[in-house]
Amino acid sequence: MKIISEAKAHGGRQGVYSMESEACGCDMSFAVFQPIQAKEQLCPVVWFLSGLTCTHANVMDKGEYRKMAAELGLIIVCPDTSPRGDHVPDEPDNWQFGKGAGFYLDATEPPWSKHYRMETHILEELPKLIAGHFAADMERQGIMGHSMGGHGALTFALKYPDRFRSCSAFAPIVQPSGADWSKPALEKYLGEDVAAWRRYDATQLIADGARFPEFFIDQGTADGFLEDGLRPWLLKEACRGTGIGLTLRMQEGYDHSYNFISTFMDDHLAWHAERLG
């Protein structure tokens, strides 16, 4: 692990680091906030997965999570959204695909399959490093995300319910296999067989029997992507009759930006802390 920067914040420490990723074939950056409690004890971990075009820096700079995380004693881990580097294939003019748009999956189609293996990076590589270098209680993990990252959080929780105790999201893409702004990416990463897309779609994972105790979601009513990309009502329909609890709050007048995320960040962190103990 390489230290890029570290600074004291709310009594704890906000750091930015990088690691050599075998899964992605490049150096991967990530941010970690450790509260002051981490000096004396292991602390619960909440992962934040960012959205399209973002890196770890967006939520770190604009998400306003540190004050509440410090009060609750939570470690916050913010991975990148895709592999990086001049040697990594990309579509520079397409913000919905390539760098900044890894969709938290393991690509199977060349040339993307060599580097775009974000599921393996986040679920296998990065947790080992977090456990080895930080005061992280890996028995108490929650996951949250925004937009594309909300999609990642929901699908990871559904596929790995024994790892994550809590899951929340801001304006998640709940059915990427049916949304105009995500279908082309899934086809390029995973191929034309739509059956291969199901394990990266929250609504279809639920239809196939995946379960998680409960989800907490905030969605802005003024979000420009609400009708075509996000469609939270599809998750509500998918959860009906399954035993999955869903708290879906439609927040009047809020858009898709970090103004929205920062407004309700404290609610989400408190919700995670209650379930992580």
Side-chain angles (χ1 to χ4, degrees):
M1 186 181 75
K2 299 177 182 178
I3 299 174
I4 298 174
S5 67
E6 287 185 325
K8 188 173 183 178
H10 295 281
R13 185 157 295 273
Q14 176 67 66
V16 178
Y17 311 93
S18 70
M19 65 171 292
E20 185 176 335
S21 168
E22 182 177 341
C24 297
C26 62
D27 284 347
M28 295 294 291
S29 61
F30 59 97
V32 179
F33 172 74
Q34 285 199 106
I36 193 171
Q37 295 92 326
K39 292 183 178 180
E40 299 180 352
Q41 64 191 44
L42 297 180
C43 295
V45 179
V46 177
W47 297 76
F48 186 96
L49 306 184
S50 293
L52 288 164
T53 75
C54 292
T55 69
H56 67 274
N58 297 77
V59 69
M60 185 182 75
D61 293 341
K62 297 183 287 187
E64 299 182 19
Y65 58 78
R66 279 176 286 271
K67 185 175 186 294
M68 180 59 73
E71 292 179 10
L72 297 171
L74 298 174
I75 290 175
I76 309 296
V77 180
C78 309
D80 202 348
T81 53
S82 73
R84 306 282 175 174
D86 293 339
H87 65 294
V88 174
D90 187 24
E91 291 187 0
D93 297 326
N94 183 1
W95 64 274
Q96 297 168 321
F97 186 76
K99 294 179 186 178
F103 276 91
Y104 301 104
L105 52 75
D106 280 358
T108 57
E109 297 295 302
W112 319 106
S113 55
K114 183 176 180 180
H115 296 283
Y116 287 81
R117 300 181 62 215
M118 291 300 295
E119 182 173 25
T120 296
H121 170 62
I122 291 175
L123 293 177
E124 296 182 16
E125 288 185 329
L126 198 47
K128 293 177 182 178
L129 188 145
I130 297 299
H133 290 80
F134 301 93
D137 185 348
M138 305 304 282
E139 297 300 315
R140 294 187 291 164
Q141 296 186 68
I143 191 165
M144 62 193 301
H146 170 230
S147 193
M148 178 185 72
H151 137 75
L154 293 172
T155 57
F156 286 172
L158 285 164
K159 288 188 285 187
Y160 305 96
D162 293 336
R163 174 178 298 194
F164 300 108
R165 292 191 187 182
S166 57
C167 178
S168 74
F170 299 94
I173 306 172
V174 304
Q175 193 181 82
S177 64
D180 292 341
W181 69 340
S182 48
K183 282 192 298 184
L186 295 188
E187 183 172 352
K188 291 176 184 177
Y189 285 135
L190 302 172
E192 296 181 356
D193 182 4
V194 295
W197 304 3
R198 297 184 71 86
R199 68 184 307 267
Y200 297 109
D201 184 306
T203 62
Q204 295 191 16
L205 282 167
I206 293 170
D208 291 343
R211 295 293 181 265
F212 197 76
E214 56 182 335
F215 297 120
F216 177 35
I217 293 176
D218 275 321
Q219 171 65 62
T221 62
D223 191 322
F225 303 110
L226 178 59
E227 297 292 334
D228 296 330
L230 307 175
R231 304 177 297 168
W233 51 85
L234 296 179
L235 182 64
K236 188 175 182 179
E237 293 173 8
C239 290
R240 185 176 293 119
T242 65
I244 300 174
L246 175 62
T247 299
L248 173 58
R249 306 193 306 184
M250 300 299 296
Q251 302 291 1
E252 186 66 30
Y254 283 91
D255 60 15
H256 200 68
S257 72
Y258 276 87
N259 297 310
F260 159 60
I261 296 170
S262 63
T263 300
F264 301 105
M265 177 64 79
D266 285 1
D267 292 353
H268 282 247
L269 293 180
W271 191 86
H272 282 277
E274 183 178 349
R275 283 148 185 81
L276 297 176

